[in-house]
Amino acid sequence: MSEKKTIFIGGTGLIGSQVLKILSKNINNITALSRRSNNNYPENVQDILFNFDTPLTELDLPNCDHLFICIGRSLKLRELLYIRKKDRKNHFKIEHDYVFNLAKKAKEMGANNLSIISAVGANSNSSNFYISTKGLIEEDLKNLGYKNINILRPGHIITNKEKNEIGFVVWVIDIFFKLINPFLRSSLRKYRGISLDKVSEFMANEEMAGIKIFHYDDFIK
């Protein structure tokens, strides 16, 4: 196993839990920052309770080589199109401020590699608040001085799970994308739904080489 020091954020989420499981097979020194104690992490993952509202000047992170970020605010389906003004402050705090502060501190502690889950269409100039926030954090991360950054922009994540595991709405959306994927061609290919396994494997194993943005065709290669 590699002795590379890794900090992982978002290990309890849909993608994060899968990525962390894969990483733990190849990397021995992983620290997962969590809001709550988690007993489901692999044995070689050190779980540290962490207050994400801690000011940047008071953040205390261990030295690391690589930072993985898979956190995000839980969204209602309609919020992919429109986030109410009263919810935007909290959304921005989670999707931007938490991410930026942790990435900045990790860089100060020696990290040169950053891997993060973003979203297809991320654009700081978008009128869609969800998409513009994703675009803005991408831009701000690029200015922190990391040598290598992998930015993943998947479309809908197809879970391939049973309806009772993921809920009826997500189950229907999974089926919808399986049906329409073949019709999303040319410039629309990047909006295709992508399987959870494909994205997770890619994030855990993709080599670092400069600042790169990845879409659907990269995940299935």
Side-chain angles (χ1 to χ4, degrees), residues 143-198:
N143 293 324
L144 285 178
Y146 277 85
K147 180 180 179 181
N148 304 304
I149 303 178
N150 282 350
I151 299 172
L152 282 66
R153 290 183 179 176
H156 173 72
I157 304 298
I158 298 175
T159 65
N160 289 317
K161 295 181 182 293
E162 297 296 327
K163 180 167 56 177
N164 62 331
E165 294 181 83
I166 57 177
F168 178 75
V169 174
V170 176
W171 180 74
V172 169
I173 296 174
D174 278 2
I175 293 175
F176 174 74
F177 271 95
K178 288 178 182 180
L179 293 173
I180 71 164
N181 266 1
F183 301 99
L184 297 176
R185 301 176 180 176
S186 300
S187 62
L188 295 178
R189 281 180 62 86
K190 65 183 180 181
Y191 293 97
R192 288 184 175 188
I194 182 72
S195 77
L196 174 60
D197 290 343
K198 289 284 187 183

Side-chain angles (χ1 to χ4, degrees), residues 15 116-120 150-157 189-203 206 212-221:
I15 300 176
I116 183 169
I117 290 286
S118 184
V120 65
N150 282 350
I151 299 172
L152 282 66
R153 290 183 179 176
H156 173 72
I157 304 298
R189 281 180 62 86
K190 65 183 180 181
Y191 293 97
R192 288 184 175 188
I194 182 72
S195 77
L196 174 60
D197 290 343
K198 289 284 187 183
V199 173
S200 302
E201 287 281 352
F202 184 90
M203 188 173 193
E206 181 64 15
K212 294 185 175 182
I213 296 176
F214 302 97
H215 293 96
Y216 175 83
D217 283 332
D218 300 300
F219 306 142
I220 63 171
K221 65 182 181 182

Side-chain angles (χ1 to χ4, degrees), residues 3-220:
E3 289 301 320
K4 181 171 61 176
K5 297 178 181 178
T6 297
I7 292 179
F8 200 99
I9 301 165
T12 60
L14 179 66
I15 300 176
S17 59
Q18 289 290 101
V19 176
L20 187 56
K21 186 184 300 183
I22 298 168
L23 280 178
S24 67
K25 297 176 182 178
N26 301 312
I27 299 174
N28 192 47
N29 195 333
I30 302 176
T31 299
L33 305 184
S34 309
R35 295 172 187 258
R36 298 176 294 276
S37 182
N38 190 296
N39 297 321
N40 295 320
Y41 286 150
E43 291 184 2
N44 60 324
V45 175
Q46 181 184 11
D47 183 20
I48 294 182
L49 292 180
F50 188 80
N51 181 2
F52 286 84
D53 287 311
T54 302
L56 177 61
T57 54
E58 299 175 19
L59 280 179
D60 183 20
L61 298 182
N63 293 338
C64 66
D65 305 301
H66 197 148
L67 175 66
F68 283 82
I69 301 178
C70 294
I71 61 171
R73 176 171 165 264
S74 296
L75 296 175
K76 298 176 181 177
L77 183 60
R78 61 172 172 77
E79 290 185 307
L80 292 173
L81 299 175
Y82 180 78
I83 296 176
R84 295 179 300 183
K85 291 183 178 180
K86 69 177 184 178
D87 296 322
R88 291 182 183 183
K89 182 178 179 179
N90 186 53
H91 179 87
F92 193 83
K93 179 179 71 171
I94 295 171
E95 293 275 349
H96 180 278
D97 295 347
Y98 285 174
V99 173
F100 180 80
N101 288 344
L102 289 163
K104 190 175 190 305
K105 190 63 177 183
K107 183 69 181 68
E108 294 173 1
M109 301 307 294
N112 267 316
N113 303 299
L114 169 64
S115 297
I116 183 169
I117 290 286
S118 184
V120 65
N123 182 347
S124 61
N125 295 317
S126 174
S127 59
N128 178 302
F129 192 76
Y130 173 74
I131 293 300
S132 65
T133 302
K134 289 292 189 184
L136 183 59
I137 188 57
E138 286 186 12
E139 292 178 5
D140 288 344
L141 292 176
K142 291 175 185 177
N143 293 324
L144 285 178
Y146 277 85
K147 180 180 179 181
N148 304 304
I149 303 178
N150 282 350
I151 299 172
L152 282 66
R153 290 183 179 176
H156 173 72
I157 304 298
I158 298 175
T159 65
N160 289 317
K161 295 181 182 293
E162 297 296 327
K163 180 167 56 177
N164 62 331
E165 294 181 83
I166 57 177
F168 178 75
V169 174
V170 176
W171 180 74
V172 169
I173 296 174
D174 278 2
I175 293 175
F176 174 74
F177 271 95
K178 288 178 182 180
L179 293 173
I180 71 164
N181 266 1
F183 301 99
L184 297 176
R185 301 176 180 176
S186 300
S187 62
L188 295 178
R189 281 180 62 86
K190 65 183 180 181
Y191 293 97
R192 288 184 175 188
I194 182 72
S195 77
L196 174 60
D197 290 343
K198 289 284 187 183
V199 173
S200 302
E201 287 281 352
F202 184 90
M203 188 173 193
N205 296 319
E206 181 64 15
E207 295 182 0
M208 309 296 294
I211 299 175
K212 294 185 175 182
I213 296 176
F214 302 97
H215 293 96
Y216 175 83
D217 283 332
D218 300 300
F219 306 142
I220 63 171

